[in-house]
Amino acid sequence: MRVLHLFCLLAIVFGCQAADLKWWQTASFYQIYPRSFKDSDGDGVGDLKGITEQLPYLKEIGITATWLSPIFTSPMADFGYDVANLTEIDPIFGTMEDFEALIEKAKALGVKIILDFVPNHTSDECEWFIKSAARDPEYKDFYVWHPGKIVNGVRQPPTNWISVFRGSMWTWNEQRQEYYLHQFHAKQPDLNYRNPKVMEMMKDVFRFWLRRGVSGFRVDAVPHTFEISPDADGNYPDEPRNPNVNDPEDYEYFQHIYTTNQPETIDMVYQLRQVLEEMDQELGGDDRIIMTEAYAPLDVIMQYYGNGTHNGAQIPFNFQLISNLNKNSNAYHYDELINIWLKAMPEGKTANWVLGNHDQSRFGSRLGEDRIDIINTLLLTLPGCSITYNGEEIGMTDVWISWEETVDPQACQSNPENYERLTRDPVRTPFHWSDNNFAGFTDGNSTWLPVADNYKSVNVKRERGITYSHLNVYKQLQNLRREPTFQGGASEVKALSENTLAIKRSLAGYPTYVVLLNINDSVESLNLNSAFFGLSSSLEYVVVTDRSPRRKGDLAHTDSITLMPKEAVVLKTV
């Protein structure tokens, strides 16, 4: 009994055995932006058959599950985030049969499919909205409507609220003779979650896709789903000014204390998790998961995990790194951002790390192309699960796109002087499969967004043949990630100097690993014995990058390690 008791204590101190973990707790997730991943029919837009064709690539690079940006019927005012029918596939992406073929092949390969779920709004071409505008008794309160206010004999929007896509959050509907709320584009009217029928309809959407084999959902724009309750007269308060912004059309012109992060959003996540748990009982098999997108204060994000009574999202996206790191960040800043999440996370929950997505500048552009291997090493060696945005494993970077070529509505609603600050097109360009025409993305004559000029040197085909390419470093890290120490081991993350970040991963009975990242341009000399307890006198290099003078299998003295500028390495105890 004493031996068993000691073993349990060691498990707590040193981490959990991988066998004790759910599939998602150490998963490598991969976001596919379907319009830009692979075009199978030559129309210049990616599709489901293209994704299905390239699923073996996901297996090759060690991906556990992929989440697809929206593939549902849509007029594409916001490229699929304006959903007209939540249970149909848009013809631009294919058919329901194509989706079923995707699920079948993914299952055969052992890659899970996660769908993007957009709860905050629909398209104004959705049947629900059309019926609501017509005051259909069943749907009249499905959206947020208001007659506006009369000022000096002129009807005006009910509040000063500004939309994410610039301009008023309120648009007049002639048929209904009322304003409707839209936190994003005018073609994306907000659903009214204070009507319980709306929540029940959205739960049914969850059930529909779960029964068709998906493994969960990434839930979009969660903080926007509720606005403050109207007062007894049905009116809403104005939001206070943000004195740091002077453009009255800009979203940041006001502080969004009444239109984001309302307490009810947390309960909505709990209710959706309950649906997943019910479906787990009905369908059996592996856990189904929720990943929530919420740019919100840390204390709010932590509530998404659950509250001790209710379970929440397994993976509330961690945007600490994507939001706060920049080219001038030093190792102490990296250390702070990583540890603030690990310390704030409720006991027994799983960390996650996000460094890229379809809304943010690619990290090679944001943090520097010479840090691409550093960032992928960081992403794949921290505890918990990782999320990679398609293309960042091969080092794709932002593509400059002219005002004339710009299609992102967030930018198109601005002007030629300001659009570059707002556009998300540069991170959504076609994936680079090869050095063939249009980077092997399409056999057609054009692409919906321009292909990057550097595709002949940055592509999957070329990088497969280069030992220390971004792709092959990424694949080495994914192989290492399967080791028990990385699956269930304890972690210690600390800055060793202004330039060097270190991650120690340890698990009783297995090798201890030390990840070293030199994020700047100095040569760094390190004594790891002064930083970490319990290392062996020698360490073996197990992953190196093209910045490294050492090679895999080389040995180093633990008290005397040299890191070259922008070098990333992984070592293990001997």
Side-chain angles (χ1 to χ4, degrees), residues 156-218:
Q156 294 183 0
T159 67
N160 66 356
W161 299 351
I162 295 291
S163 101
V164 175
F165 286 178
R166 298 176 63 82
S168 176
M169 269 191 200
W170 299 96
T171 290
W172 180 254
N173 181 272
E174 280 292 335
Q175 179 182 16
R176 181 154 167 154
Q177 291 289 294
E178 285 189 311
Y179 291 94
Y180 64 88
L181 180 73
H182 54 90
Q183 294 218 33
F184 293 87
H185 197 284
K187 287 187 67 64
Q188 294 170 298
D190 273 39
L191 288 159
N192 174 20
Y193 278 92
R194 299 194 184 281
N195 178 351
K197 292 180 182 178
V198 172
M199 191 69 200
E200 289 309 309
M201 291 283 271
M202 298 309 259
K203 288 177 180 180
D204 283 343
V205 173
F206 254 42
R207 296 180 181 107
F208 177 89
W209 291 109
L210 290 167
R211 288 178 177 133
R212 278 155 184 79
V214 306
S215 294
F217 301 90
R218 176 264 190 185

Side-chain angles (χ1 to χ4, degrees), residues 13 68 102 135 200 202 351 537:
V13 173
L68 313 180
L102 170 67
R135 296 184 183 271
E200 289 309 309
M202 298 309 259
S537 60

Side-chain angles (χ1 to χ4, degrees), residues 432-440 455-456 459-462:
H432 302 173
W433 291 105
S434 69
D435 57 3
N436 294 341
N437 200 30
F438 297 119
Y455 77 88
K456 287 187 178 292
N459 64 72
V460 171
K461 181 180 177 182
R462 179 174 182 270

Side-chain angles (χ1 to χ4, degrees), residues 41-321:
D41 59 10
D43 66 355
V45 178
D47 47 48
L48 291 176
K49 285 185 176 178
I51 295 171
T52 304
E53 174 190 331
Q54 296 296 348
L55 281 175
Y57 171 71
L58 301 191
K59 193 69 175 175
E60 173 190 338
I61 64 172
I63 299 303
T64 316
T66 180
W67 66 272
L68 313 180
S69 288
I71 54 174
F72 315 114
T73 300
S74 168
M76 299 294 164
D78 190 19
F79 297 108
Y81 283 93
D82 50 318
V83 183
N85 189 311
L86 287 83
T87 56
E88 286 183 351
I89 302 296
D90 192 281
I92 200 168
F93 298 121
T95 65
M96 187 63 80
E97 289 72 26
D98 295 334
F99 177 78
E100 290 166 353
L102 170 67
I103 290 287
E104 184 177 354
K105 185 167 183 179
K107 185 176 181 181
L109 289 170
V111 176
K112 297 178 186 295
I113 302 295
I114 310 291
L115 292 186
D116 215 329
F117 177 72
V118 187
N120 180 66
H121 49 261
T122 67
S123 166
D124 65 346
E125 298 181 32
C126 177
E127 180 185 11
W128 302 350
F129 183 76
I130 293 168
K131 289 182 175 180
S132 189
R135 296 184 183 271
D136 180 293
E138 183 70 18
Y139 293 92
K140 67 182 179 65
D141 296 324
F142 256 52
Y143 297 82
V144 181
W145 296 96
H146 197 284
K149 57 188 178 184
I150 305 299
V151 179
N152 298 325
V154 178
R155 190 180 300 275
Q156 294 183 0
T159 67
N160 66 356
W161 299 351
I162 295 291
S163 101
V164 175
F165 286 178
R166 298 176 63 82
S168 176
M169 269 191 200
W170 299 96
T171 290
W172 180 254
N173 181 272
E174 280 292 335
Q175 179 182 16
R176 181 154 167 154
Q177 291 289 294
E178 285 189 311
Y179 291 94
Y180 64 88
L181 180 73
H182 54 90
Q183 294 218 33
F184 293 87
H185 197 284
K187 287 187 67 64
Q188 294 170 298
D190 273 39
L191 288 159
N192 174 20
Y193 278 92
R194 299 194 184 281
N195 178 351
K197 292 180 182 178
V198 172
M199 191 69 200
E200 289 309 309
M201 291 283 271
M202 298 309 259
K203 288 177 180 180
D204 283 343
V205 173
F206 254 42
R207 296 180 181 107
F208 177 89
W209 291 109
L210 290 167
R211 288 178 177 133
R212 278 155 184 79
V214 306
S215 294
F217 301 90
R218 176 264 190 185
V219 185
D220 178 67
V222 180
H224 299 270
T225 48
F226 279 85
E227 306 74 40
I228 192 171
S229 295
D231 64 19
D233 296 321
N235 294 318
Y236 300 93
D238 283 345
E239 291 191 312
R241 275 277 283 117
N242 175 3
N244 299 317
V245 176
N246 296 318
D247 179 357
E249 294 288 296
D250 192 292
Y251 179 63
E252 299 298 335
Y253 189 71
F254 293 109
Q255 300 174 44
H256 303 289
I257 61 173
Y258 300 130
T259 54
T260 61
N261 297 314
Q262 301 304 299
E264 296 90 341
T265 60
I266 305 297
D267 181 65
M268 185 197 75
V269 172
Y270 296 169
Q271 289 190 53
L272 292 175
R273 174 64 183 275
Q274 187 174 1
V275 174
L276 253 65
E277 291 174 351
E278 291 167 0
M279 295 304 291
D280 285 343
Q281 291 293 317
E282 175 185 321
L283 300 172
D286 290 341
D287 282 2
R288 289 146 187 92
I289 65 165
I290 295 177
M291 314 167 86
T292 49
E293 184 208 33
Y295 292 89
L298 190 64
D299 62 329
V300 174
I301 295 292
M302 290 301 152
Q303 295 176 53
Y304 281 65
Y305 274 116
N307 63 4
T309 303
H310 297 95
N311 291 322
Q314 291 97 330
I315 304 172
F317 277 164
N318 173 4
F319 292 137
Q320 290 294 307
L321 300 178

